[in-house]
Amino acid sequence: MAQLILNHLTKDFGAKGPGEGGPAVSDVSLTLRKQGFLALLGPSGCGKTTVLRMIAGFEQPTDGSIEFGECRLSDAVRVLPPEKRNMAMVFQSYALWPHMTVAENVGYPLKVRRISGEAWRSRVAEALSLVRLTAYADRRPSALSGGQRQRVALARCLVQQPDIVLLDEPLANLDQHLRKAMEETFRAFHERSGATMIYVTHDQAEAMALATDVAVMSEGKLLQVAPPADIYARPEGRVVGSLIGRGAIVRLRLPEKAGRQLDWPLLQAALAGRRSGHGHAGEGPLSDVLIRPEQVHPDSGGMPMRVLSSVFEGERSALTLALPDGQSLKAYSNKAFCHGTEVPFVISGGWRL
Amino acid sequence: MKTLLPAVAAALVAGLLSTAALAESLVLYTSQPNEDAQATVDAFEAANPGVEVEWVREGTTKIMAKLMAEIEAGNPVADVLLIADTVTMQRLKEAGQLMPYKSPEASAFEASLFDPDGTYYSTKMITTGIIYNTSAAMKPAGWEDLAKPEAKGLVTMPSPLTSGAALIHAQTLAGIGALGWDYYEALAENGATAAGGNGGVLKSVATGEKAYGMVVDFMAIREKAKGAPVEFVFPAEGVSAVTEPVAILRTAKNPDAAKKFVDFLLSEEGQQVAVTMGYIPARNGLALPEGFPAREVVKVLPVDAAAAVKNSDADLKTFSGIFGTN
Amino acid sequence: MRVSDEIARGRRKATHAPAVDTDAEVRSGSRMLERPLRVLAKARCWQWLRLASGGAKDDGSEGERGPARVRLPKELTRALRGFDLPPPPYADEVRVPETRSAKAGPRRRSSYFRFRGKRMSGVGEPAWLLAFVCGAVFLLSVLPLIHLGWAGLKGLEGGEAASVLLEAATFAALRNTLVAAAGGMVISLVVGALFAFVVALTDIRGKLALSFAFMLPMMIPPQVTALAWVEMSGPSSPLLKTLGLAPPLGSPQPLYSLAGIALLLGVQHAPLVFLAIKAGLATHPRDGVEAARLSGASPWRVFRDIVLPLACPALIAGGAIAFISGIGNFGIPAILGIPASIETLPTLIFAKFASFGSSTFGEIAVLSTIIASISAGGLLLQQRALKGRDYRLIGLTGARAAFTLGRLRIAVETLLWGTLALVLVAPLLALVASSLVPAYGVPLTLHTVSLQAYGEVLFRQTVTLTALKNSVFLASAAAVGLLVIALPAGYLLAARRGRVANLLAILIEIPYALPGIVLAVAFILAFAAPLPVIGVSIYGTIWIILAAYLSSFFAVSLKPVMSAFLQMDPSLEEAARLAGAGFLRRMRDVLLPLVAPAAGASVILVFLIAANELTVSALLWSAGTQTLGVAIFNLDDSGSSNLASALSVLVVAVVIGLMATLEVLAKYLPEGVLPWRN
């Protein structure tokens, strides 16, 4: 299985609407792990879909290149047409052809490759049974629910035995509980097919649940690529920090010597503005610090903070706390607190972005 | 969709094939009214099986324009012409567009009714008289009556720009000393209109839009017979006449069929068809159709063909100037 | 109590976050905002916010929704003041309706068709496609227009043709044309808008029948309309005579006047305005009206403040179409104007052509250029007012009734049906009456009824049979031939945006916008001489008429097809490409089946319009190539009005029959194919 490499990929659509300057994709370089599952994460308009479409061959890069193993797929000069790449794509709208039955939809790649008759039937049946839709083989897509259509689209990908599977926000149109089920299906699909999967989403929870690597993009640029645990614990920069997981970003004065992983004494000192044994806490340049809600606990030995709001979430309450200097933090608690009470909290850790 | 396309394609092919010519064909340009043209063609085809006639009908001036346009484009389609007046035919002959043909039937006609070189032959005698609606108060007896105050705003006539007969009529009346172009100016001041062809005048008077009109004889007499509330008068001062000549074009693609057509029109059978349609036949020895007075009552005014040709443009301009017509 | 608490809480929170998406399926990259948004989503009374954020239809069909900016609650904004947060994630709202029920219907198909913005793929169509489409456009549009322009220029140079510009007749014709077209436009707007607003927005009964009947004037050839009205009014009317209501002898026919021409132009083109406004109203969500009424506005105020301004572009479009059609109309001024010596520019050209002289070609080229310039001016104004959106001939799902009329309903229904009776039924009855009288001026009684005219027309006059055969052939050939060209052209123009596509679209549009007379002149000039390689001239044959039809109706054929391509979800084709299908393959397997209904619509529309066409064939016909329109016109022009009436009645009967057949088949055709359906 060859490796997909994006080399300084750039795409500029030219004149855009007011307020939007610059290219859609700017100097993105990425080497995909073989048989990996890459999630392209970012807010709408960050260019992730454009990158996906360039990989598929629907857009031609303005600069840079895409290579798959030895073969150069696209660059600014020529593009290998999508028909000739052995890739499959699951679209946000599923792209099932309404005038064909489910079986015909799934079997279309085979038909194009001139496989017919018994071979066609058996491969289509196999794909349908894998997504558990054998009973629906002769229905029209319009008779199916959203989740079922999604599975038909997946079956169509399976049948093709592609090298790379592209997924463009495939779960965006589904209900909450269906999404969980489909995530399972994608995982199973990935294991079975052994293809490299590239998954575009703006839902970071989904990205982290599914992917082996998460690539965060914003405004056309690639900000960070790392496995989910790494990117959760150690995000680089404010943008990534605010996109991944929940938390609050506060600005604190920290000594330059302090590392990136911060502990309670340091934070307490920075917040209180007192001198501590670690040097001149309370002085130093302002830094962005990411504090996750799970790192904030009510503790009698902690710093008193005023509870701004308390929202009951079922398994816990989510609190918004006000720091002495006015910034706010998020915290979890088993108890509900009243608005305005002062409660001591301890921050067990923080990460300097 | 799947079955529709082949079906339509098949229909198209069938249509194309059916337009292929069969046997001999003949193209006729005529200014006769549609029903008369159809009847003439039907009678000819019955007498000459194996010849299929395609005909085109428009007012004389318009049909001449069509012909000229086609000649200029290098693609004249017509074989035979059957139009209102000999003046136009004379002009065509002088332009060298007609084919001479000496028809054996010519012996039964007076010499003045056909061209000595055989380029055109008159087929009928069509006079222009006065038609009036039976509910009109004043019953006209002569041309001068139309200029009276009782007829104010109630008179219509065909335009020479559309009808060849109308042009001849205007030229004829203009040549009468007592009338002349002053007569037309008096008519115009009296609110008379001039537009379109004879058919329009007939319809106008018969339906009551206008009370009085100048129109060709056969139309009025025929409609009266069908029950229309009209009367036709051959005015005391006299009537103009056109003779509806037939001619073969020099560029005719089917000259043999064309000659057969000319012979048919001039034969006794063909002339009898004209009588049945209500026209005065040009051939000697045939009775006038029903509804007409005796031949002697009809006073036909002479017209100088050569002079008429020379003065046509000027006369048209004069007429247009008086009536502002198109 | 709980519910009102929730709603109350929702209201309070809403004051902090005014433009928030209320859809329950909001997903945001930042969990910070999820909770308050979920609460808000439950407050249904804030549905109008969805409208503000992009306009949603709640009847399950897809609408275009732009991304809605999710704004942070004020507290958080304050807390993070001075910090540079990235732009908050957008809430995407594209939602495919979950059709769990067994409800069938064309609505389902709409889930695969949504409005789209830029279509991005530029790498996909084969090179020969562009060449084919460009070639077709060149032959059909550019070549004749170049000849026309050239002849006009030569005429101007030559001097004698230029003098036509200064003739009084030309000025009079120009003035008449503009006055009649403007008057017609006003009448069309009034009548068409009345019908459109009432049908689209209120709850009157019999909407389908009303729409169907209202479409008829558009489908009936204009000269037939004129004939029918002439037979209906004035002292010569058989209808009035029979009823004893005829004006006295010698009264002028009121329709033989500029006012009469304007009136009939208005009636003829009112359906165009009707369609334009209905289509315009269809793109506006019902929610907007409902929201306004919730705000306390009376129905009249809602109409005045919300519906009317939103419908303004449609009104402009409709007015422009009516005006341009009025300028180029030939049949009505020909029948009404000639008896009164009123010339408009088209009839002036016709008359000049009829009195053929040496300078004719130059003169009519110059006059054609004048007409073309006026039409072009009108088109530009329309483009500017609409910024390229097109409302012609495409009826989409209409806004459902939003106003109940209550007691007014009967009055409004009477008004509409009464107008229809006056404008459509009475003239048609008069037409029938005049085809049944044995001779002019005879009142129609049981004794005088005669089918002689029908007998003559159907059995004796070979002209009519030839004309029928010709018209059917021309209409079918044009419809099918254009489809073959329109499908690739539609695909190309939908796939490629940019200057080339715009230029092609304009070039295709021009012959349709040009008055038929001008186009006919252009074709005469282009094809009078024998064709270069073959050496055969098509002038005077049926092929020149076919060529002119192909050019003239290209735009009509293209619009439904292009619209279908534009509305098609691009991922359908992209999925086929990834599955490995080349261009022809995916055209055949995926694209063509999906646009087949639009293709069917295009065939039907072209057929209906071409079968009754008069203007173009009036100049191009010759022996044996008469069309139905020409046959009717000639019969009337030559005085055989009763024959013309008989033929017209037959034509109207066939048109109604065809439309009725389509209506019966309507459930097999998807939305938007039949213009009179919602």
Side-chain angles (χ1 to χ4, degrees):
Chain A
M1 185 66 69
Q3 199 170 29
L4 184 70
I5 301 177
L6 309 178
N7 247 331
H8 300 285
L9 206 55
T10 306
K11 177 71 181 172
D12 196 334
F13 283 110
K16 297 194 76 178
E20 295 179 64
V25 174
S26 177
D27 199 25
V28 167
S29 294
L30 197 54
T31 302
L32 271 71
R33 197 201 296 252
K34 286 189 200 173
Q35 296 182 321
F37 194 126
L38 173 77
L40 271 178
L41 177 67
S44 288
C46 71
K48 54 194 194 292
T49 307
T50 313
V51 168
L52 197 77
R53 288 175 64 85
M54 282 197 277
I55 298 174
F58 297 128
E59 305 286 349
Q60 181 169 17
T62 336
D63 201 4
S65 67
I66 302 176
E67 276 149 39
F68 186 59
E70 297 285 311
C71 179
R72 176 168 280 210
L73 295 182
S74 317
D75 58 24
V77 174
R78 25 172 296 282
V79 165
L80 185 70
E83 299 85 273
K84 306 222 171 71
R85 311 185 180 205
N86 189 19
M87 295 187 191
M89 186 150 156
V90 177
F91 294 85
Q92 192 172 8
S93 59
Y94 321 125
L96 297 181
W97 300 299
H99 59 290
M100 300 191 203
T101 63
V102 162
E104 285 167 358
N105 263 283
V106 170
Y108 188 67
L110 299 175
K111 183 171 147 194
V112 167
R113 289 163 179 71
R114 296 176 208 271
I115 300 174
S116 61
E118 197 43 51
W120 184 91
R121 260 190 295 272
S122 68
R123 283 175 71 168
V124 168
E126 185 191 338
L128 282 176
S129 74
L130 277 168
V131 295
R132 296 184 314 282
L133 282 177
T134 322
Y136 294 83
D138 291 319
R139 305 261 186 101
R140 295 275 154 140
S142 49
L144 269 52
S145 72
Q148 288 166 330
R149 288 184 211 172
Q150 190 60 280
R151 286 187 273 157
V152 172
L154 258 184
R156 188 169 64 190
C157 289
L158 255 181
V159 122
Q160 216 176 315
Q161 291 164 347
D163 298 321
I164 298 181
V165 177
L166 308 166
L167 300 109
D168 187 3
E169 306 204 41
L171 300 183
N173 297 335
L174 296 181
D175 296 337
Q176 194 80 356
H177 63 275
L178 257 181
R179 263 186 265 158
K180 293 293 172 215
M182 285 309 295
E183 283 174 15
E184 266 307 312
T185 316
F186 286 143
R187 254 182 245 117
F189 180 93
H190 181 221
E191 278 163 30
R192 185 193 172 83
S193 65
T196 311
M197 294 186 50
I198 307 181
Y199 191 99
V200 162
T201 180
H202 58 254
D203 185 330
Q204 49 92 40
E206 212 171 77
M208 296 210 292
L210 288 170
T212 57
D213 300 277
V214 176
V216 179
M217 286 183 70
S218 175
E219 291 182 350
K221 300 193 181 47
L222 182 64
L223 297 178
Q224 186 178 3
V225 185
D230 290 349
I231 212 170
Y232 184 81
R234 290 172 286 281
E236 296 291 336
R238 174 86 121 300
V239 179
V240 183
S242 58
L243 272 174
I244 305 281
R246 286 199 257 185
I249 300 178
V250 294
R251 298 210 83 168
L252 298 174
R253 291 193 177 277
L254 293 168
E256 283 166 23
K257 284 195 316 222
R260 298 192 74 180
Q261 199 70 44
L262 306 168
D263 56 11
W264 173 234
L266 254 175
L267 289 168
Q268 188 176 31
L271 286 170
R274 277 200 320 256
R275 288 177 174 244
S276 79
H278 292 267
H280 304 284
E283 293 164 14
L286 275 175
S287 316
D288 290 327
V289 178
L290 174 69
I291 301 175
R292 300 237 181 246
E294 58 264 24
Q295 293 167 316
V296 181
H297 320 284
D299 190 315
S300 48
M303 180 182 288
M305 300 179 197
R306 197 158 47 92
V307 174
L308 287 178
S309 74
S310 168
V311 180
F312 179 66
E313 279 185 352
E315 62 264 26
R316 62 191 171 216
S317 292
L319 307 174
T320 312
L321 309 169
L323 291 169
D325 58 2
Q327 301 178 79
S328 60
L329 279 183
K330 295 269 183 206
Y332 292 144
S333 153
N334 288 334
K335 284 197 305 214
F337 287 99
C338 288
H339 172 92
T341 42
E342 288 247 337
V343 183
F345 280 91
V346 159
I347 306 175
S348 55
W351 169 256
R352 177 161 32 183
L353 291 168
Chain B
M1 258 327 256
K2 289 206 171 92
T3 48
L4 187 60
L5 264 174
V8 171
L12 280 178
V13 171
L16 279 171
L17 286 177
S18 75
T19 55
L22 43 88
E24 270 184 288
S25 81
L26 187 66
V27 178
L28 165 70
Y29 276 18
T30 179
S31 64
Q32 282 182 300
N34 288 72
E35 287 119 319
D36 299 339
Q38 185 66 54
T40 310
V41 164
D42 287 344
F44 169 72
E45 284 179 346
N48 291 280
V51 184
E52 197 177 289
V53 182
E54 251 180 58
W55 54 274
V56 171
R57 189 266 160 215
E58 269 193 294
T60 303
T61 343
K62 288 202 171 95
I63 205 110
M64 290 309 302
K66 206 173 190 57
L67 188 63
M68 296 319 296
E70 286 170 10
I71 291 176
E72 178 136 336
N75 190 15
V77 176
D79 297 314
V80 270
L81 279 183
L82 181 61
I83 55 176
D85 62 289
T86 46
V87 176
T88 314
M89 283 300 195
Q90 183 67 23
R91 207 179 305 136
L92 274 176
K93 178 187 174 191
E94 282 168 15
Q97 297 287 352
L98 299 180
M99 179 194 291
Y101 166 63
K102 294 279 187 3
S103 170
E105 304 281 348
S107 50
F109 288 75
E110 280 183 39
S112 61
L113 288 174
F114 60 91
D115 175 63
D117 297 319
T119 54
Y120 58 86
Y121 297 85
S122 300
T123 58
K124 306 173 181 72
M125 282 273 275
I126 304 174
T127 71
T128 300
I130 300 180
I131 182 176
Y132 64 92
N133 194 297
T134 45
S135 56
M138 187 248 315
K139 316 272 184 232
W143 296 114
E144 298 237 346
D145 292 337
L146 294 182
K148 283 193 191 155
E150 292 96 321
K152 192 171 179 64
L154 296 174
V155 178
T156 182
M157 68 191 85
S159 162
L161 290 154
T162 307
S163 162
L167 178 60
I168 301 288
H169 182 69
Q171 288 174 315
T172 311
L173 286 192
I176 299 178
L179 296 172
W181 287 113
D182 295 336
Y183 168 66
Y184 277 102
E185 283 183 23
L187 279 180
E189 269 172 55
N190 209 21
T193 58
N198 285 286
V201 171
L202 170 73
K203 182 177 168 201
S204 217
V205 173
T207 54
E209 255 179 72
K210 297 280 180 185
Y212 308 98
M214 300 183 190
V215 85
V216 287
D217 52 17
F218 66 91
M219 264 192 203
I221 296 177
R222 228 168 31 188
E223 290 299 310
K224 179 177 158 190
K226 277 198 259 176
V230 294
E231 280 290 346
F232 187 76
V233 171
F234 290 88
E237 298 95 327
V239 292
S240 68
V242 291
T243 58
E244 193 138 294
V246 63
I248 307 178
L249 285 173
R250 187 179 50 84
T251 48
K253 298 196 177 77
N254 306 289
D256 296 324
K259 289 173 185 161
K260 283 191 203 156
F261 190 76
V262 171
D263 290 337
F264 174 78
L265 284 184
L266 300 177
S267 69
E268 206 169 306
E269 195 188 337
Q271 289 287 299
Q272 193 57 43
V273 169
V275 169
T276 325
M277 287 195 285
Y279 294 92
I280 302 176
R283 191 182 174 103
N284 294 335
L286 288 171
L288 264 55
E290 262 186 57
F292 278 79
R295 221 187 247 270
E296 301 73 47
V297 173
V298 180
K299 180 181 166 201
V300 178
L301 297 164
V303 62
D304 182 351
V309 169
K310 270 200 291 213
N311 297 332
S312 282
D313 286 330
D315 291 336
L316 272 173
K317 276 213 171 65
T318 317
F319 194 95
S320 300
I322 298 177
F323 285 96
T325 55
N326 54 321
Chain C
M1 278 302 123
R2 296 293 305 273
V3 174
S4 61
D5 273 349
E6 283 237 322
I7 295 179
R9 217 188 311 161
R11 280 219 194 98
R12 253 183 277 130
K13 285 216 164 32
T15 58
H16 296 306
V20 168
D21 181 61
T22 58
D23 194 304
E25 299 191 62
V26 161
R27 290 155 304 288
S28 62
S30 167
R31 294 268 182 214
M32 291 186 269
L33 303 167
E34 217 180 23
R35 179 68 189 149
L37 291 174
R38 269 206 219 117
V39 169
L40 276 167
K42 295 188 182 110
R44 288 277 293 167
C45 60
W46 295 102
Q47 213 180 339
W48 67 271
L49 293 168
R50 269 202 289 160
L51 164 63
S53 65
K57 292 189 172 63
D58 79 332
D59 57 351
S61 62
E62 291 240 278
E64 163 151 44
R65 302 167 216 194
R69 262 188 185 272
V70 173
R71 267 195 240 144
L72 300 172
K74 272 216 193 111
E75 285 98 341
L76 202 52
T77 319
R78 242 186 289 128
L80 297 171
R81 197 181 315 140
F83 304 147
D84 239 56
L85 274 186
Y90 290 98
D92 238 352
E93 258 206 280
V94 177
R95 191 172 59 141
V96 172
E98 308 263 329
T99 49
R100 292 193 191 83
S101 69
K103 260 191 301 173
R107 237 201 317 130
R108 285 244 198 83
R109 226 187 269 234
S110 69
S111 66
Y112 293 92
F113 294 80
R114 61 185 158 101
F115 295 108
R116 49 178 329 191
K118 274 190 299 185
R119 186 175 180 129
M120 303 222 232
S121 152
V123 284
E125 70 263 3
W128 58 260
L129 189 67
L130 184 62
F132 174 71
V133 173
C134 284
V137 170
F138 177 77
L139 272 179
L140 290 178
S141 296
V142 178
L143 197 62
L145 292 178
I146 289 180
H147 273 275
L148 181 66
W150 185 242
L153 281 175
K154 272 207 296 197
L156 280 176
E157 267 179 67
E160 43 179 62
S163 66
V164 82
L165 279 177
L166 302 170
E167 272 176 34
T170 309
F171 281 117
L174 180 64
R175 197 197 65 221
N176 290 338
T177 308
L178 289 174
V179 169
M185 176 181 82
V186 170
I187 295 175
S188 296
L189 275 176
V190 168
V191 175
L194 171 71
F195 271 76
F197 283 130
V198 170
V199 165
L201 295 176
T202 66
D203 63 343
I204 57 168
R205 293 162 292 199
K207 280 191 192 180
L208 188 60
L210 207 59
S211 303
F212 184 88
F214 197 70
M215 281 297 112
L216 277 177
M218 191 171 91
M219 299 296 188
I220 294 177
Q223 68 275 22
V224 171
T225 310
L227 265 181
W229 278 72
V230 164
E231 301 293 354
M232 175 178 86
S233 57
S236 53
S237 161
L239 189 71
L240 293 180
K241 269 198 154 70
T242 311
L243 293 173
L245 292 172
L249 183 70
S251 339
Q253 163 67 273
L255 286 176
Y256 289 163
S257 60
L258 206 55
I261 297 178
L263 174 66
L264 252 61
L265 284 178
V267 166
Q268 180 83 29
H269 298 132
L272 291 174
V273 176
F274 176 74
L275 282 179
I277 296 181
K278 239 180 23 132
L281 288 175
T283 62
H284 302 134
R286 177 180 169 195
D287 312 38
V289 173
E290 288 179 346
R293 298 195 64 190
L294 275 174
S295 313
S298 71
W300 169 244
R301 279 218 71 164
V302 173
F303 178 74
R304 202 189 70 184
D305 294 336
I306 310 268
V307 176
L308 210 50
L310 286 179
C312 235
L315 282 169
I316 294 175
I321 295 171
F323 183 74
I324 293 175
S325 305
I327 299 235
N329 193 301
F330 170 74
I332 289 176
I335 298 215
L336 297 184
I338 292 182
S341 302
I342 297 177
E343 294 272 19
T344 58
L345 283 175
T347 55
L348 184 65
I349 292 181
F350 184 74
K352 289 226 179 277
F353 192 71
S355 54
F356 196 85
S358 53
S359 59
T360 297
F361 277 154
E363 282 181 11
I364 59 180
V366 169
L367 289 173
S368 304
T369 315
I370 299 179
I371 300 184
S373 332
I374 302 178
S375 303
L379 258 184
L380 277 175
L381 276 174
Q382 180 200 13
Q383 290 266 24
R384 186 156 302 179
L386 295 179
K387 297 189 187 60
R389 276 175 294 167
D390 196 282
Y391 295 111
R392 255 188 298 170
L393 296 178
I394 300 163
L396 293 173
T397 55
R400 305 274 174 72
F403 295 103
T404 50
L405 288 175
R407 274 168 305 173
L408 271 183
R409 190 161 73 166
I410 304 281
V412 171
E413 285 175 358
T414 319
L415 174 67
L416 290 188
W417 284 107
T419 314
L420 261 185
L422 184 63
V423 155
L424 189 67
V425 176
L428 285 180
L429 279 180
L431 196 67
V432 172
S434 75
S435 69
L436 291 175
V437 291
Y440 300 124
V442 178
L444 182 69
T445 65
L446 283 173
H447 297 288
T448 56
V449 160
S450 149
L451 291 174
Q452 182 252 346
Y454 287 97
E456 180 79 28
V457 155
L458 285 174
F459 303 117
R460 292 197 57 219
Q461 291 277 328
T462 52
V463 174
T464 47
L465 292 176
T466 314
L468 180 68
K469 192 179 64 162
N470 288 336
S471 282
V472 168
F473 166 71
L474 283 170
S476 323
V480 173
L482 278 177
L483 191 65
V484 169
I485 308 178
L487 280 172
Y491 176 82
L492 188 73
L493 291 177
R496 246 179 209 278
R497 301 299 198 85
R499 277 190 300 247
V500 172
N502 279 341
L503 181 66
L504 279 176
I506 292 177
L507 284 177
I508 293 175
E509 179 89 34
I510 290 181
Y512 181 64
L514 273 185
I517 283 271
V518 174
L519 191 71
V521 169
F523 267 83
I524 292 174
L525 294 170
F527 292 102
L531 296 171
V533 173
I534 320 172
V536 166
S537 171
I538 61 171
Y539 181 74
T541 66
I542 204 165
W543 302 106
I544 195 174
I545 305 183
L546 182 61
Y549 279 9
L550 287 177
S551 171
S552 180
F553 300 130
F554 193 178
V556 175
S557 180
L558 183 65
K559 285 290 189 289
V561 167
M562 191 163 105
S563 166
F565 275 120
L566 280 175
Q567 288 180 48
M568 190 157 43
D569 186 356
S571 60
L572 291 174
E573 195 194 354
E574 287 169 356
R577 292 182 75 182
L578 279 173
F583 178 73
L584 283 175
R585 185 94 212 215
R586 61 182 190 263
M587 267 302 251
R588 200 182 73 202
D589 290 334
V590 173
L591 293 172
L592 283 182
L594 289 177
V595 300
S602 130
V603 166
I604 292 165
L605 281 171
V606 172
F607 185 87
L608 268 176
I609 296 180
N612 289 321
E613 198 281 329
L614 165 66
T615 315
V616 168
S617 40
L619 282 190
L620 295 176
W621 72 276
S622 179
T625 64
Q626 295 96 324
T627 61
L628 272 180
V630 168
I632 294 176
F633 180 67
N634 279 353
L635 282 173
D636 180 64
D637 195 49
S638 67
S640 316
S641 282
N642 56 342
L643 296 186
S645 301
L647 191 56
S648 305
V649 169
L650 291 174
V651 163
V652 170
V654 168
V655 166
I656 296 183
L658 268 178
M659 285 171 69
T661 316
L662 285 179
E663 175 60 33
V664 162
L665 292 174
K667 59 178 183 288
Y668 301 112
L669 302 168
E671 311 238 347
V673 170
L674 299 177
W676 57 86
R677 279 188 146 253
N678 269 349

